[in-house]
Amino acid sequence: MRIQRRLTTPRWLVVAVPVASLIAAFAAAAIVLLIAGKDPGATYARLFDRAFIAPGAITSTLITATPLLFTGLAAAAAFRMRLWNIGGEGQLYLGAVGASGAGLFLRDQPPAVIIAGMVGGGLAAGAAWSSIPGVLKAYFKTNEIITSLMLNYVAGLLLTYLIFDSRSFWRELGTFSARAFPQGKQLPDAATWPTFDLGVAVIPFGFLLGLIAALGLWLFYRSTSFGFQARVLGDSPSAARYAGIKTRRVVVAMMALSGALAGVGGASEIGDFRHVLDPRGLQQAGFGYAGIVVAALARYNPFAVAVVAFLLGGLANAGYSLQGPDFPAGLVGVLQGMILFFALGGELLLRYRVSFRARLAAAPS
Amino acid sequence: MNPEVTAGAVPAVAMRSITKRFPGVLANDSVDFEAREGEVHALLGENGAGKSTLASILTGLYRPDAGDIEIYGRRVEFHSPRDAMAAGVSMVHQHFRLAASLTVADNIVLGHQAAPWLRASPRTIESQVTDLARRYRMPVNPTARIWQLSVGEQQRVEILKSLYRGARILILDEPTSLLTPQEADDLFETLRRMTAEGRTIVFVSHKLEELMAVSDRVTVLRGGRVVGTVETKSTTPPQLARMMVGREVVFAQSKEAHRMEGGEVVLELRGISADGDLGIKAVNDVSLAIKAGEIVGIAGVSGNGQRELAEAISGARRRSAGDVIVDGRSLRNGDPEDAIARGIAHVPEDRLGTGVSPSLSVADNLILKSHRRAPIATRGILRRQRIAANAKQLMSRFSVSAPGPDTPTRLLSGGNVQKVVLARELSSRPRAIVAANPTRGLDVGATESVRELLIKAAAGGVGILLISEDLDEVLALADRIAVIYEGRIAGVVPRDEADVQRIGLMMAGAPA
Ligand SMILES: Nc1ncnc2c1ncn2[C@@H]1O[C@H](COP(=O)(O)OP(=O)(O)O)[C@@H](O)[C@H]1O
Ligand SMILES: [Mg+2]
């Protein structure tokens, strides 16, 4: 067997490898199910049904997929230019804080104003949070992987502080039970994001916003001068400096853009689904980290991010709704892990050519 | 050089049907190569012909896919350079492999001694090294540390290292590329002493003149294959060039030297200094004025501040002192965008990492500097048709050969990458061009066309600062020649008064 580095990657492989890793993951998990004495066929049929077929399934899948779509785009936007923002998790929390704060603050305004305020609030808070590692990287040459990761923990603590450890604007203090069991203030009904009924499925507003963001990101990299600068800088910093590109400015702006996307993901989670700032729920979901997987599987292509987010959203959604004694607990987690494992293995095939052939007969000596 | 060598004897090196494939290239294709004991055998070929690959196979660095090697008639199979060394075969690489902070003597014995506790006393080693150095006329101080040595001295250390280990067959890969003309002559003298003792030298090069001076026989490689082996005495440079390139070559391409009296100054350097990457002053008070239509050459041995000087002019590096003046106005310090806007084109030394963004397409690289301005971009939006039209036009005008404008630039050959850079820089209608080693690593054909483009640009009224480590190139193209040594301009001479000996001395730091 010989392994050689590829100079170019054929297009079909770029699609074939992630698809094959999905199939391989399901096959491997089927073996696990067989060992556990479950029927993989029936289990997968139920999973698929709950994710995409059952009444209302598509809508819940889309609601779960929306934050994944945003965090996936956030990761794709940054990773595409080799800016390793893995702070999508914290930026999403901050987006949720910003959006719920805006929703509560604008409670007496017409719905359109409230919703616009929530989107803007999530966007601004996420961007501000990711600008911290961006500025640190641009001006002090710190490693953005570490700073953005550490800020995830800070953001998690901030959420807890706002609801559990303070009398903040976000915390419900009016009712008796809320004083005993701390919880966030419920947003007004007017702050619930609209849905669009297409007959086959009901589309949440957040998902629509995500699709627009995906298109926007694609256009950004393809057709704007600034996106061009980001591509050059990601490929070769010294070529970027040579071309007169203001590299610090591009780094800060791209980190802000990435954080803004994650922040809107946090806003969608509030507006489409939770309607309250819920530290535990947000932290358990782990959308920020999952977004990194989404972006990697999608190979940083914004449209592929939407497809992958939809599929993984379906898986997560089915996992929630099938939890129970008759459904193997942890199956979804196993599947997600397997998908990641095979996707990373598949990377090898994209970067290297593996060929099996007999070695040229070695000269006898 | 050694008349006693008899043709019928067992050859020192015999390589038969050596084939070596790298991803996408056949670097050596059934190569047969023989070197007799006591001869200097030159291996000639353009860049990419497969010379270094063949040499690396002979020294055990690569293993051939097919073929076999005999050393003094004995079949060998090297798994590492250590195996080759044991058989008496050693190589001095294009890039030296010395430990900078150790002494000369330490480097010479490093990795050679069987076990550290059996180490000979430092005094013994030093006297052995001194003896060797004297015998081969390679003066070097055994207690000096490598970083204190010039490039020429470091090369001597590499050669001494091989001799100390008992090399009978020595391979030198492009040994003169970093030397001044005098240092090269000294090296040839050393090689003659070695062959007189019956050692065999494989001398890898693409410079015809030096092969003619030093070798007994020449084997020419082209595209991974052997074109032929000839006796140096019975050949001529044009014949070798034809074998190397596969067609007639126009020699001595040069610019009509013209005296620039009264021409307007387009680029003026006024006392500029700049620090190198390590914070040590690399450019020291350089002043020069370049007139429209003039080519000013900067000659010097590599590492004397050339790269830093080019960057200080183009804005990629901040100046610690001095001004760069274009058309009477000073450029903003450390601001490439200002330099670009004011008409300073830059052909950087590192063409694939800096001159182009390697993964971006050819079309994108052709707008690397114009991507913010009309007509390429309007209101921040790239105009894709205009980018495509620009690519099509420039690729045909500068005959860039690539599968298409969307090909990633890193897949192009070095010559075509350089054409992309030049197409972009020249089409920006510059006032002045700073070109750093514009033909280094290019084959003869590409070198020809790059030089032609520079000459044409000068004829069109552009001022050119040609920074080159290839003295022949500077002599062929420049109207005036400035020599740089340790960041300072050691002297400036008009071309028709240029004397290679004197310039060589200035390159080595002797006062002008
Ligand atoms: N390690 C390597 N991996 C891949 N390709 C290589 C490697 N070394 C050399 N090549 C390719 O093999 C060919 C011959 O290269 P080389 O032997 O270095 O030529 P030369 O020394 O004559 O300039 C070139 O096309 C070069 O790109
Ligand atoms: Mg070479």
Side-chain angles (χ1 to χ4, degrees):
Chain A
M1 190 178 97
R2 294 157 58 93
I3 297 182
Q4 294 185 321
R5 209 181 158 79
R6 286 179 190 278
L7 284 174
T8 55
T9 305
R11 245 155 212 259
W12 63 269
L13 257 188
V14 174
V15 178
V17 165
V19 171
S21 13
L22 277 177
I23 294 170
F26 276 89
I31 297 172
V32 177
L33 284 170
L34 279 173
I35 294 170
K38 304 274 177 191
D39 173 5
T43 311
Y44 285 157
R46 287 182 65 198
L47 202 65
F48 191 72
D49 177 66
R50 280 306 184 91
F52 305 114
I53 310 287
I58 290 281
T59 306
S60 349
T61 286
L62 287 178
I63 286 175
T64 314
T66 303
L68 282 178
L69 170 51
F70 278 106
T71 53
L73 290 175
F79 292 3
R80 170 81 200 264
M81 64 163 294
R82 295 191 205 160
L83 197 55
W84 307 110
N85 173 23
I86 52 175
E89 187 76 23
Q91 291 144 23
L92 178 133
Y93 299 165
L94 263 288
V97 169
S100 52
L104 292 169
F105 183 76
L106 300 168
R107 63 185 328 135
D108 301 323
Q109 304 295 319
V113 175
I114 302 184
I115 290 166
M118 288 173 73
V119 173
L123 186 143
W129 197 246
S130 64
S131 295
I132 299 171
V135 168
L136 288 176
K137 180 182 172 68
Y139 292 91
F140 302 101
K141 297 191 174 150
T142 54
N143 181 332
E144 75 278 17
I145 299 181
I146 294 169
T147 48
S148 66
L149 176 68
M150 295 319 264
L151 282 171
N152 287 345
Y153 298 106
V154 178
L157 291 170
L158 178 68
L159 283 183
T160 309
Y161 172 78
L162 289 178
I163 303 301
F164 294 98
D165 299 329
S166 68
R167 305 175 68 80
S168 76
F169 177 63
W170 284 264
R171 180 167 173 183
E172 179 62 73
L173 294 163
T175 66
F176 178 77
S177 75
R179 257 168 271 156
F181 306 102
Q183 63 188 63
K185 265 186 214 150
Q186 202 70 29
L187 266 68
D189 287 346
T192 298
W193 288 9
T195 52
F196 305 91
D197 193 344
L198 296 187
V200 279
V202 179
I203 312 291
F205 175 65
F207 192 79
L208 221 56
L209 216 52
L211 291 180
I212 294 168
L215 178 66
L217 183 61
W218 182 75
L219 286 173
F220 169 79
Y221 266 117
R222 187 185 115 102
S223 297
T224 68
S225 294
F226 199 80
F228 180 84
Q229 301 193 342
R231 276 195 283 148
V232 175
L233 180 56
D235 183 42
S236 169
S238 74
R241 270 190 298 277
Y242 162 74
I245 291 169
K246 305 270 188 276
T247 55
R248 291 173 170 175
R249 198 149 77 187
V250 177
V251 166
V252 174
M254 288 306 296
M255 276 303 271
L257 172 69
S258 175
L261 286 163
V264 179
S268 78
E269 182 69 359
I270 299 291
D272 279 338
F273 182 52
R274 294 187 192 273
H275 315 301
V276 63
L277 187 65
D278 171 8
R280 295 244 163 84
L282 280 173
Q283 294 187 57
Q284 268 160 19
F287 287 124
Y289 294 116
I292 295 172
V293 178
V294 171
L297 279 173
R299 302 197 59 78
Y300 315 155
N301 177 310
F303 301 124
V305 165
V307 174
V308 175
F310 178 69
L311 293 176
L312 293 192
L315 194 61
N317 170 43
Y320 295 139
S321 54
L322 286 173
Q323 266 169 27
D326 60 332
F327 188 79
L331 172 64
V332 166
V334 169
L335 271 171
Q336 283 166 342
M338 296 264 183
I339 291 172
L340 183 60
F341 175 81
F342 282 103
L344 293 178
E347 271 301 279
L348 181 79
L349 294 179
L350 291 178
R351 295 235 188 98
Y352 298 89
R353 184 205 314 275
V354 182
S355 57
F356 299 89
R357 60 161 199 195
R359 269 183 62 88
L360 284 169
S365 59
Chain B
M1 306 276 137
N2 191 344
E4 285 95 334
V5 173
T6 44
V10 183
V13 176
M15 301 175 83
R16 296 207 189 87
S17 308
I18 298 288
T19 296
K20 178 73 185 171
R21 189 182 291 279
F22 288 117
V25 280
L26 194 52
N28 285 158
D29 183 2
S30 296
V31 170
D32 291 319
F33 176 77
E34 261 189 29
R36 297 175 193 146
E37 182 168 22
E39 75 169 339
V40 175
H41 195 127
L43 197 52
L44 173 69
E46 291 192 278
N47 268 290
K51 307 180 296 291
S52 295
T53 303
L54 189 68
S56 301
I57 288 172
L58 180 54
T59 49
L61 209 59
Y62 295 148
R63 300 198 58 190
D65 295 334
D68 47 57
I69 305 173
E70 281 175 18
I71 301 294
Y72 296 111
R74 216 163 48 82
R75 178 69 157 279
V76 292
E77 206 168 318
F78 297 146
H79 297 273
S80 71
R82 196 177 270 270
D83 290 353
M85 193 63 249
V89 181
S90 177
M91 175 156 166
V92 173
H93 288 270
Q94 230 163 333
H95 305 282
F96 304 147
R97 303 178 172 198
L98 297 170
S101 60
L102 299 185
T103 66
V104 169
D106 283 340
N107 267 283
I108 287 174
V109 297
L110 194 72
H112 175 53
Q113 283 169 330
W117 56 88
L118 289 179
R119 205 184 150 121
S121 83
R123 194 85 52 75
T124 321
I125 297 167
E126 278 161 26
S127 73
Q128 283 173 338
V129 168
T130 312
D131 284 349
L132 264 184
R134 195 168 305 133
R135 188 158 129 215
Y136 294 101
R137 298 236 177 133
M138 288 191 284
V140 62
N141 170 8
T143 57
R145 309 217 168 244
I146 296 298
W147 61 266
Q148 298 168 317
L149 303 184
S150 75
V151 179
E153 288 170 314
Q154 292 183 26
Q155 185 178 59
R156 285 181 218 149
V157 176
E158 282 277 12
I159 295 172
L160 285 172
K161 190 165 124 186
S162 297
L163 292 173
Y164 182 83
R165 293 167 188 207
R168 309 254 322 133
I169 298 164
L170 195 68
I171 302 151
L172 300 162
D173 195 359
E174 312 247 355
T176 59
S177 58
L178 299 171
L179 303 182
T180 63
Q182 284 86 356
E183 283 174 324
D185 284 342
D186 291 345
L187 172 69
F188 298 159
E189 181 52 38
T190 302
L191 297 184
R192 278 180 207 113
R193 281 171 182 268
M194 288 164 52
T195 51
E197 292 181 345
R199 296 183 207 263
T200 305
I201 309 288
V202 177
F203 188 94
V204 179
S205 178
H206 62 254
K207 294 188 193 156
L208 298 171
E209 290 77 10
E210 64 184 35
L211 297 187
M212 295 303 294
V214 76
S215 70
D216 299 299
R217 289 195 300 160
V218 183
T219 293
V220 182
L221 280 182
R222 184 168 78 226
R225 291 183 188 206
V226 173
V227 182
T229 299
V230 292
E231 299 279 336
T232 310
K233 281 196 294 282
S234 54
T235 187
T236 59
Q239 191 203 344
L240 288 175
R242 209 162 36 239
M243 288 171 74
M244 177 164 85
V245 186
R247 62 182 167 85
E248 289 297 329
V249 183
V250 194
F251 260 107
Q253 186 181 30
S254 70
K255 178 177 185 277
E256 288 285 304
H258 49 229
R259 292 264 171 189
M260 307 295 304
E261 261 127 33
E264 56 163 336
V265 171
V266 286
L267 172 65
E268 187 184 351
L269 315 181
R270 216 176 266 170
I272 67 174
S273 297
D275 290 346
D277 296 335
L278 301 175
I280 299 163
K281 196 171 231 183
V283 178
N284 196 345
D285 195 23
V286 169
S287 295
L288 274 177
I290 295 131
K291 294 173 181 167
E294 185 185 33
I295 300 184
V296 175
I298 295 204
V301 176
S302 168
N304 274 291
Q306 290 97 323
R307 182 169 57 90
E308 291 86 353
L309 175 62
E311 291 172 355
I313 299 169
S314 70
R317 182 177 295 272
R318 283 191 73 80
R319 300 183 291 276
S320 54
D323 283 303
V324 176
I325 294 153
V326 179
D327 290 328
R329 267 202 309 133
S330 158
L331 289 187
R332 276 208 297 274
N333 193 0
D335 183 356
E337 201 179 349
D338 189 43
I340 295 165
R342 302 280 303 286
I344 300 301
H346 180 23
V347 178
E349 175 172 289
D350 167 27
R351 64 181 80 98
L352 194 57
T354 303
V356 297
S357 186
S359 300
L360 264 58
S361 68
V362 173
D364 280 349
N365 270 302
L366 287 169
I367 60 152
L368 195 62
K369 288 183 172 177
S370 54
H371 69 270
R372 351 177 154 62
R373 292 190 302 269
I376 297 302
T378 47
R379 278 184 238 101
I381 304 297
L382 296 175
R383 309 301 296 264
R384 303 193 66 80
Q385 281 98 6
R386 293 179 191 168
I387 294 172
N390 177 63
K392 192 168 165 223
Q393 191 227 332
L394 290 183
M395 284 174 74
S396 83
R397 199 170 114 208
F398 290 86
S399 39
V400 176
S401 113
D406 297 325
T407 312
T409 310
R410 70 189 149 83
L411 299 181
L412 270 53
S413 71
N416 280 299
V417 171
Q418 192 68 310
K419 283 187 198 164
V420 170
V421 173
L422 282 166
R424 182 187 65 222
E425 298 300 303
L426 296 177
S427 66
S428 67
R429 299 175 191 286
R431 299 287 289 145
I433 301 173
V434 179
N437 290 314
T439 61
R440 180 154 79 189
L442 301 186
D443 61 39
V444 174
T447 298
E448 244 175 80
S449 40
V450 166
R451 289 183 182 167
E452 220 155 82
L453 286 171
L454 290 175
I455 293 169
K456 247 204 286 184
V462 179
I464 297 181
L465 185 65
L466 171 69
I467 302 177
S468 177
E469 284 149 23
D470 181 349
L471 185 53
D472 296 334
E473 172 163 277
V474 173
L475 289 170
L477 299 186
D479 301 302
R480 284 187 297 145
I481 296 151
V483 178
I484 193 167
Y485 177 72
E486 292 192 339
R488 286 179 183 277
I489 298 297
V492 184
V493 286
R495 187 194 348 176
D496 34 14
E497 294 165 25
D499 160 21
V500 181
Q501 283 302 311
R502 213 177 112 225
I503 290 178
L505 285 172
M506 287 179 356
M507 283 166 69

